[in-house]
Amino acid sequence: MILNITEAASRQIKEMMKEEDSENIRLRFGVKGGGCSGLSYAMGFEEDINEELDLLEESNGIPVVIHRQDAPIIEGTKIDFKENMMGGGFTIDNPNAIVSCGCGSSFKTATNAGTPDPNC
């Protein structure tokens, strides 16, 4: 399994999916260039998949679409949802990240440095 979604994150994602106007909605998770460390996580909802470019898997009841080229970068990543006094938010624990920025939203791996944002 490429991605592990915890029970808490699954509950939150399912609530968010209810707001989408589609029965075929899936979570898309991947990476994009940018951020202080070179790569940033991308997470959103999508109906369509490209069977040549995308992988489809399920984690904790959530259908997930991952671009094939992102799979090695995020292999073994855990998505959790944490509540605190300031509200709540998703946390991402990627065992492949060797460097991440102070806020944890960007990273790089041993094999992929991405393209750091010079304005960061």
Side-chain angles (χ1 to χ4, degrees), residues 40-41 52 71 101 104:
S40 295
Y41 297 106
E52 291 180 24
C101 69

Side-chain angles (χ1 to χ4, degrees), residues 9-96:
S10 175
R11 281 192 304 270
Q12 184 64 31
I13 292 167
K14 286 176 182 175
E15 284 300 313
M16 295 167 71
M17 290 173 88
K18 288 179 185 177
E19 297 175 15
E20 298 294 320
D21 191 24
S22 172
E23 292 185 21
N24 296 321
I25 202 73
R26 299 171 179 99
L27 176 70
R28 177 173 285 279
F29 185 79
V31 297
K32 60 183 179 177
C36 301
S37 299
L39 295 171
S40 295
Y41 297 106
M43 192 162 87
F45 295 114
E46 190 167 300
E47 287 183 70
D48 300 321
I49 66 169
N50 181 326
E51 292 185 14
E52 291 180 24
L53 301 176
D54 295 326
L55 299 169
L56 181 61
E57 67 175 40
E58 186 171 308
S59 179
N60 216 344
I62 304 294
V64 181
V65 179
I66 299 167
H67 197 284
R68 288 183 191 277
Q69 73 181 21
D70 293 346
I73 299 170
I74 60 173
E75 178 79 38
T77 294
K78 180 174 84 171
I79 299 177
D80 197 5
F81 188 81
K82 305 278 186 184
E83 294 274 353
N84 60 37
M85 292 181 66
M86 300 296 289
F90 290 101
T91 62
I92 299 171
D93 181 20
N94 183 345
N96 304 305

Side-chain angles (χ1 to χ4, degrees), residues 30-42 70 73 99-109 112-120:
V31 297
K32 60 183 179 177
C36 301
S37 299
L39 295 171
S40 295
Y41 297 106
D70 293 346
I73 299 170
V99 172
S100 59
C101 69
C103 64
S105 66
S106 73
F107 67 101
K108 71 178 179 179
T109 66
N112 196 324
T115 307
D117 183 348
N119 298 318
C120 213

